[in-house]
Amino acid sequence: MAEQQTLILVKPDGVQRGLIGEVIARIERKGYRIDALELGTLDRATAEQHYAEHTDKPFFEELVGFITSAPLVAMCVSGEDVIASMRSLMGATNPLDATPGSIRGDFATVIGENIVHGSDSPESAKRELDLFFPGRF
Ligand code: IDP
Ligand code: MG
């Protein structure tokens, strides 16, 4: 058991579909805390840094184009083992594989529009929180 912090995004598709409240409700109902929350449109440079691990993937342009296309909500979420637990609440990357009851399993149909992002390790969480909330966590 470890107290952790993670970066959660409600991506532009989630915001446009009116799912900000749904995602926040699931986070709070689980028992995690929201330590910071901001709504805004990501600039290209920040998006490229955020998804740096995917630079060479064929879907990189689509990914960066989509994540910068409209406002998103960025949150710092904290609690016991929150990094892995939020990945589980989110469901598998491809909504086809995401378990019903998970966010992606309940609300998404295609991989490019899968509603949420969550950091995948303590190292990613630190890097991503520094990018979205510089100097705060
Ligand atoms: P994750 O969001 O579950 O951590 P990653 O593999 O880190 O998944 O991919 C980042 C995001 O890139 C995914 O959430 C998804 O929106 C998008 N993505 C991943 N693979 C594909 C693909 O094959 N085609 C289009 N988009 C993809
Ligand atoms: Mg990822």
Side-chain angles (χ1 to χ4, degrees):
M1 297 282 276
E3 178 74 17
Q4 298 176 329
Q5 291 180 308
T6 190
L7 178 80
I8 299 298
L9 303 178
V10 182
K11 299 191 200 180
D13 53 327
V15 174
Q16 275 167 350
R17 287 179 53 199
L19 295 172
I20 299 171
E22 178 71 39
V23 173
I24 289 175
R26 288 174 180 231
I27 291 169
E28 294 188 322
R29 200 167 66 192
K30 176 73 176 172
Y32 292 131
R33 294 180 304 279
I34 295 169
D35 298 331
L37 185 153
E38 267 180 37
L39 183 143
T41 305
L42 213 53
D43 61 74
R44 190 174 175 92
T46 306
E48 286 180 351
Q49 272 183 271
H50 174 65
Y51 281 127
E53 67 178 300
H54 298 305
T55 309
D56 297 328
K57 306 272 172 62
F59 58 86
F60 184 69
E61 277 308 314
E62 179 191 330
L63 181 59
V64 170
F66 175 67
I67 205 80
T68 56
S69 65
L72 54 68
V73 169
M75 290 176 263
C76 174
V77 176
S78 66
E80 285 293 320
D81 295 308
V82 69
I83 297 171
S85 179
M86 276 305 307
R87 297 282 299 185
S88 165
L89 288 183
M90 286 160 49
T93 303
N94 188 340
L96 274 178
D97 303 324
T99 314
S102 68
I103 295 169
R104 288 162 168 171
D106 285 351
F107 298 109
T109 58
V110 292
I111 195 166
E113 298 186 10
N114 59 5
I115 313 286
V116 278
H117 165 85
S119 309
D120 64 7
S121 67
E123 297 70 31
S124 301
K126 176 162 183 19
R127 188 181 71 79
E128 294 172 2
L129 285 169
D130 280 347
L131 192 58
F132 280 80
F133 299 104
R136 289 177 62 184
F137 298 105

